[in-house]
Amino acid sequence: MKEAQTDTLENPRKEYYRGEYPEQHQEAPGIEGKMDPVPDTGEKSYRGYGRLKGRKALITGGDSGIGRAVAIACSREGADIAVNYLDVEQPDANSLKKLIEEENGKIALVPGDVSREENCREIVRQALERLGGLDILVLNAGTQTAVKSIEDLPTEQLVHTFATNVFSMYWIVKEALPRLPAGAAIITTASIEAFQPNPFLLDYAATKSAIVGFTRALSKQLAKKGIRVNAVAPGPVWTALQVTGGQFPENIPSFGKDTPLGRAGQPAELAPVYVFLASGEASYITGQIVGVTGGELL
Ligand code: NAD
Ligand code: MG
């Protein structure tokens, strides 16, 4: 692993982990620290340049995976961060808090289940209070459970996937909007699944299509306020989501191998895109879906 992502010229096919992944399973949402290998969230490599100095960011699902990489990156770019996650993920949240505080960053932990409206409103209120405002929302919490046939897809799962992945975005934005200043940025996490849906992710893929629609419509509604809204659409990224039922276990070893770049992505490779979309450098970019997919076309 190189010191910083930008230090040297590298072949992207040969960077990061590209071996087979050991077959493994945890109960959702899983603990990232127990994964083999532990996903690379940029703890060693992400270098900040003050792009988000003085900014205040709420990141949902920020204890692990893509959200954790975004949290580390936002903090190193100078933002104060509030990080949401589920209570059972406290070990991952604690290790993130320790890392950020060792680097003199400001982090507020705001656990809570975003599949319920009242929790979403409370998470936003706490983030506003503890950071003294908000101007970046990273709506990233998500759940994914592969099911072979629509006949076996429980209604409970269907409703839970939509509430967590989609409805939470409406509830969080509704509560935060009165306090978001001009210049604020909202970034959602969509997926390649919105464009090339997997037949076993019938509910999940549909939530990701819904997020694309939500992001595009909201960007038009909020443009007049000077608030930009964009989505990142990841391809296969090595995270807890995949080993907690997001993939069938037999598909774990070759996870990501069928992308043009020939390997799965690591969360660290997503974070710079969120930072860019949040920063003033993206001042003319809104309503867009940015793919970070290892070459799969949106
Ligand atoms: P992850 O498991 O590390 O992160 C997902 C997080 O969502 C969890 O850490 C958890 O804190 C949070 N979450 C789940 N249910 C929640 C709930 N009810 N309330 C509050 N928080 C909840 O996995 P990840 O892959 O980093 O996932 C982040 C986002 O990226 C998700 O929206 C996921 O759909 C999306 N995504 C992931 C991939 C991939 O291949 N890993 C690909 C495309 C999109
Ligand atoms: Mg987690």
Side-chain angles (χ1 to χ4, degrees):
M1 180 58 52
K2 55 193 171 169
E3 289 293 300
Q5 285 173 315
T6 49
D7 269 352
T8 48
L9 185 64
E10 300 272 1
N11 179 344
R13 301 183 65 87
K14 301 201 167 143
E15 287 188 275
Y16 296 97
Y17 185 83
R18 54 189 198 280
E20 283 210 340
Y21 288 99
E23 217 175 291
Q24 57 201 284
H25 180 76
Q26 294 185 42
E27 285 289 297
I31 298 298
E32 176 169 284
K34 291 186 182 164
M35 288 174 66
D36 177 23
V38 175
D40 185 342
T41 52
E43 303 194 12
K44 295 218 170 67
S45 60
Y46 192 90
R47 187 184 286 171
Y49 294 94
R51 288 183 181 95
L52 304 177
K53 199 157 184 286
R55 302 283 299 273
K56 296 170 193 305
L58 169 63
I59 301 148
T60 66
D63 60 298
S64 61
I66 295 166
R68 182 186 181 99
V70 173
I72 292 167
C74 286
S75 177
R76 291 186 185 167
E77 295 288 358
D80 294 342
I81 59 173
V83 172
N84 158 260
Y85 54 94
L86 287 162
D87 285 330
V88 293
E89 298 175 296
Q90 198 63 45
D92 283 338
N94 286 344
S95 72
L96 177 68
K97 185 169 192 282
K98 184 164 174 282
L99 175 76
I100 299 293
E101 289 179 344
E102 278 167 4
E103 300 173 356
N104 297 318
K106 176 164 178 172
I107 176 170
L109 297 183
V110 285
D113 181 343
V114 300
S115 69
R116 297 169 59 97
E117 178 168 7
E118 60 269 33
N119 295 351
C120 288
R121 292 185 181 273
E122 182 56 27
I123 288 159
V124 171
R125 283 196 289 267
Q126 279 203 30
L128 281 165
E129 193 183 307
R130 292 171 66 186
L131 301 186
L134 278 176
D135 53 43
I136 299 169
L137 300 181
V138 177
L139 306 178
N140 168 76
T143 184
Q144 171 182 331
T145 310
V147 175
K148 287 248 148 84
S149 162
I150 188 168
E151 294 163 301
D152 301 326
L153 176 62
T155 295
E156 201 178 50
Q157 176 181 323
L158 183 60
V159 171
H160 183 67
T161 306
F162 270 84
T164 305
N165 297 9
V166 184
F167 300 160
S168 64
M169 295 189 175
Y170 293 77
W171 297 327
I172 289 170
V173 171
K174 273 174 83 171
E175 185 67 26
L177 191 58
R179 298 280 301 274
L180 293 183
I186 299 172
I187 303 148
T188 63
T189 301
S191 172
I192 185 71
E193 292 296 325
F195 306 91
Q196 295 186 37
N198 176 314
F200 308 128
L201 296 176
L202 221 53
D203 54 337
Y204 177 84
T207 66
K208 294 297 169 175
S209 296
I211 291 168
V212 168
F214 171 75
T215 303
R216 287 175 168 160
L218 188 68
S219 75
K220 290 187 177 174
Q221 191 177 119
L222 299 190
K224 286 188 188 69
K225 291 183 188 286
I227 296 171
R228 296 179 299 101
V229 188
N230 293 288
V232 176
V237 183
W238 181 242
T239 67
L241 195 77
Q242 306 299 348
V243 301
T244 55
Q247 298 285 327
F248 298 120
E250 62 269 27
N251 294 335
I252 292 290
S254 63
F255 181 62
K257 286 265 186 233
D258 56 354
T259 61
L261 288 180
R263 62 170 175 85
Q266 293 293 324
E269 300 182 274
L270 280 287
V273 180
Y274 287 81
V275 166
F276 170 65
L277 291 172
S279 78
E281 292 172 332
S283 52
Y284 203 52
I285 302 177
T286 192
Q288 304 306 308
I289 317 296
V290 182
V292 185
T293 61
E296 297 292 353
L297 302 180
L298 298 186

